[in-house]
Amino acid sequence: GAGVSQSPSNKVTEKGKDVELRCDPISGHTALYWYRQRLGQGLEFLIYFQGNSAPDKSGLPSDRFSAERTGESVSTLTIQRTQQEDSAVYLCASSYATSYEQYFGPGTRLTVT
Amino acid sequence: TQLLEQSPQFLSIQEGENLTVYCNSSSVFSSLQWYRQEPGEGPVLLVTVVTGGEVKKLKRLTFQFGDARKDSSLHITAAQPGDTGLYLCAGHRTYKYIFGTGTRLKVLA
């Protein structure tokens, strides 16, 4: 079946602009995660969605970052007034609620100039 | 605060050599996962270990979860160029995954 997909694959934006990143999880996966990966580093947790429960936003680095998810489907991560330090790969992952296994998308590489 | 430390950070070895990557924490995890990530792609799950002391083998890769469920190791026997990539461990606690700092492995032919 189809895996996790993300769009766009690459995004170059000017400092101060807003960007929206999209994630399509695997069908039937109720849990969805967003992570940030800076060049050559590990993954930094940003936000977690589980079904209709309130999301865990504890990893969002500032109020410029927000995310939404419609039911158990598509999620969007929005970064407002982008800064150069926001440049990174943003990864989305989904899983069954009771499973230990996450499945990752290919990521969106964001470059803020 | 980095809860999971991996060592070494970088490793460059010749084809055929053996290697071990370590993942250490002061915190207990309900399970621990190992991923491999190649450039331009998301991490791909290799294995999940759940029980303290558990050992799992995946062809030439051997994974061990520490008895106290705070640390883990990945051993690769007779490394091949196809093993090249970024190896990440991730500890699972409730619904969160805490990722390690990563080990970048390069296997030279």
Side-chain angles (χ1 to χ4, degrees):
Chain A
V4 178
S5 61
Q6 293 186 244
S7 61
S9 55
N10 283 284
K11 176 73 177 178
V12 180
T13 190
E14 292 180 353
K15 177 182 172 180
K17 300 278 191 183
D18 298 351
V19 295
E20 191 172 277
L21 313 180
R22 177 186 169 110
C23 171
D24 283 88
I26 293 172
S27 178
H29 281 191
T30 58
L32 187 147
Y33 300 78
W34 282 98
Y35 296 92
R36 179 169 68 181
Q37 185 176 31
R38 291 204 164 100
L39 187 62
Q41 298 186 17
L43 276 64
E44 176 187 359
F45 167 79
L46 296 178
I47 188 168
Y48 163 77
F49 294 92
Q50 171 53 50
N52 294 317
S53 301
D56 179 344
K57 304 179 181 181
S58 61
L60 295 178
S62 77
D63 59 8
R64 296 186 296 105
F65 288 72
S66 62
E68 291 184 352
R69 186 182 186 192
T70 306
E72 295 181 353
S73 60
V74 171
S75 176
T76 55
L77 176 68
T78 301
I79 308 174
Q80 295 178 310
R81 304 181 303 282
T82 52
Q83 304 294 313
Q84 287 187 328
E85 62 263 26
D86 299 334
S87 295
V89 174
Y90 289 83
L91 290 158
C92 173
S94 70
S95 70
Y96 288 110
T98 55
S99 169
Y100 295 126
E101 300 185 4
Q102 296 180 97
Y103 295 84
F104 282 85
T108 294
R109 181 175 297 279
L110 175 66
T111 303
V112 182
T113 61
Chain B
T1 303
Q2 186 56 256
L3 296 181
L4 271 173
E5 296 287 342
Q6 285 184 239
S7 61
Q9 271 190 290
F10 301 96
L11 193 55
S12 180
I13 61 171
Q14 293 292 324
E15 182 177 5
E17 293 184 1
N18 301 332
L19 67 116
T20 302
V21 177
Y22 299 93
C23 175
N24 295 297
S25 173
S26 58
S27 303
V28 175
F29 294 102
S30 55
S31 69
L32 193 136
Q33 301 180 323
W34 285 93
Y35 294 82
R36 183 170 73 207
Q37 185 179 23
E38 300 191 24
E41 299 181 10
V44 175
L45 180 67
L46 296 174
V47 79
T48 301
V49 285
V50 179
T51 306
E54 183 176 2
V55 176
K56 279 192 174 177
K57 291 192 175 184
L58 184 66
K59 297 183 180 178
R60 294 176 293 100
L61 279 59
T62 302
F63 305 86
Q64 184 163 9
F65 201 11
D67 291 341
R69 291 185 288 130
K70 293 182 180 181
D71 53 79
S72 181
S73 64
L74 158 60
H75 182 80
I76 301 179
T77 303
Q80 299 178 1
D83 296 327
T84 293
L86 177 67
Y87 288 81
L88 295 160
C89 63
H92 185 246
R93 186 184 299 133
T94 58
Y95 56 80
K96 272 187 177 173
Y97 297 83
I98 309 297
F99 278 80
T101 47
T103 295
R104 192 165 296 280
L105 172 65
K106 186 169 186 178
V107 183
L108 305 169

